[in-house]
């Protein structure tokens, strides 16, 4: 069973209140590029992520706004920032790290906002049967090549707006020499 | 079969001629910290690595000097520098990338110097029998945890100065949430 790879660079999802604090009253994000997941997009806007140890600039804001603010970084970024975020599914911010987000019009302390994303596969609900997969199921991924191997703990996430795609972070992409759009194998079973 | 993890950050090995070009006549490296491999050490000295696209500062020089200059970087570094180094065993610089190395007293164009290190295991020659391993054999590594998995193509490298240790780069360490000194499993067979 083959799947396309999408590699997520560090990014930020904002709640409305934080969007306004960072960019100003009545601000709305501008679409730069639609993402493969329907309705989601990379916006033109970027912010800086700051901790006591370091700042990372030019962090892309993804839209649309959510009802929570979430910062997704790699462990390489986490080292640079001097924080130790948990590995979490998007939306689960239990024990997440706190960082400062800085925009052109202000900044916010984003409490318990910052995670390393759990490996996951997006799939359209109507494709589950065709691929023999279940929402919430955990699978593995096999990657070929000189830096190949197997990745465990990849969770199936189904929605009726999702497109079939494996989401990894830049550390995983680079460790396995993967590029956006590469095709890899799903192995059933944990 | 268990083995200790050693994660190699980007670093440079220098030949005598380049050491002198970078640091001055009759210069000798100063030991900062011995490495786990006997006779090898992190030196006090650092250099900058420069390409048309970017510069990475504070790159550690490892000693002692070798009879070739070699720059070992991660793929994350390679992206930043805008180059595409091959994955190579140390010492094999076929089709390696070219970078500029800058020291306090001068700079050199290090032609065909820059690689991404092949995954490998150092082992003392007198330990091979005990572990049932052969020099040049290729094994796999199993890593547990939420970001666990399996790493293929790990080459056994035996020498009578070597200490039993798995060497990965920072991308691999970060993708699998590994730290220096962590213990992982060797799986026999490619």
């Amino acid at each position: 069973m083959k799947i396309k790879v999408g590699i997520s660079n560090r990014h930020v999802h904002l709640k409305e209140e934080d969007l306004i604090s960072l960019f100003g009253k009545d601000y709305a994000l501008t679409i730069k590029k639609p993402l493969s997941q329907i309705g989601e997009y990379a916006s033109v806007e970027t912010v800086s992520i700051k901790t006591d140890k370091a700042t990372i600039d030019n962090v892309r804001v993804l839209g649309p706004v959510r009802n929570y603010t979430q910062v997704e970084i790699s462990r390489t970024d986490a080292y640079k920032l001097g924080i130790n975020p948990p590995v979490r599914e998007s939306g689960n911010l239990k024990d997440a790290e706190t960082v400062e987000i800085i925009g052109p019009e202000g900044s916010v302390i984003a409490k318990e906002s910052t995670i390393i994303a759990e490996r996951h596969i997006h799939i359209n609900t109507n494709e589950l049967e065709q691929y023999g997969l279940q929402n919430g199921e955990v699978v593995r991924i096999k990657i070929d090549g000189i830096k190949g191997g197997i990745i465990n703990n990849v969770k199936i996430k189904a929605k009726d707006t999702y497109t079939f795609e494996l989401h990894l972070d830049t550390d995983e992409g680079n460790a396995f020499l993967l590029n956006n759009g590469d095709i890899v194998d799903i192995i059933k079973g944990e």
Side-chain angles (χ1 to χ4, degrees), chain A residues 51-108:
Chain A
T51 62
D52 288 345
K53 190 175 171 200
T55 300
I56 298 178
D57 295 320
N58 299 315
V59 180
R60 187 69 51 192
V61 178
L62 301 193
V65 291
R66 292 188 175 184
N67 53 15
Y68 56 89
T69 287
Q70 177 171 290
V71 180
E72 295 178 48
I73 63 174
S74 70
R75 200 196 193 204
T76 299
D77 297 332
Y79 269 119
K80 185 172 179 188
L81 294 170
I83 58 178
N84 188 20
V87 175
R88 290 274 184 268
E89 184 174 352
S90 185
N92 173 5
L93 297 176
K94 184 175 182 314
D95 302 325
E97 281 277 13
T98 296
V99 299
E100 185 176 2
I101 304 177
I102 303 170
E105 296 293 326
S107 68
V108 296

Side-chain angles (χ1 to χ4, degrees), chain A residues 99-172:
Chain A
V99 299
E100 185 176 2
I101 304 177
I102 303 170
E105 296 293 326
S107 68
V108 296
I109 304 297
K111 287 203 175 175
E112 295 193 12
S113 62
T114 304
I115 61 172
I116 295 173
E118 197 177 66
R119 301 155 172 175
H120 59 277
I121 284 173
H122 283 183
I123 184 170
N124 197 288
T125 312
N126 68 26
E127 294 174 314
L128 283 168
E129 195 177 340
Q130 166 192 349
Y131 287 103
L133 295 167
Q134 292 195 309
N135 191 27
E137 182 178 350
V138 174
V139 299
R140 293 185 297 157
I141 296 293
K142 182 172 143 312
I143 299 149
D144 294 330
I146 181 74
K147 291 256 185 182
I150 288 173
I151 290 177
N152 296 343
N153 298 323
V154 182
K155 192 178 283 179
I156 304 294
K157 296 172 71 173
K159 263 194 189 176
D160 57 11
T161 54
Y162 279 173
T163 301
F164 195 45
E165 195 171 65
L166 166 66
H167 285 194
L168 301 176
D169 68 21
T170 46
D171 284 341
E172 291 158 339

Side-chain angles (χ1 to χ4, degrees), chain A residues 10-14 19 22-23 29-30 32 41-47 58-65 101:
Chain A
R10 67 184 80 92
H11 62 270
V12 171
H13 303 276
L14 294 174
L19 176 70
L22 297 171
F23 290 92
L29 293 170
T30 301
K32 179 186 165 82
Y41 56 88
S43 76
V44 168
E45 289 77 10
T46 62
V47 293
N58 299 315
V59 180
R60 187 69 51 192
V61 178
L62 301 193
V65 291
I101 304 177

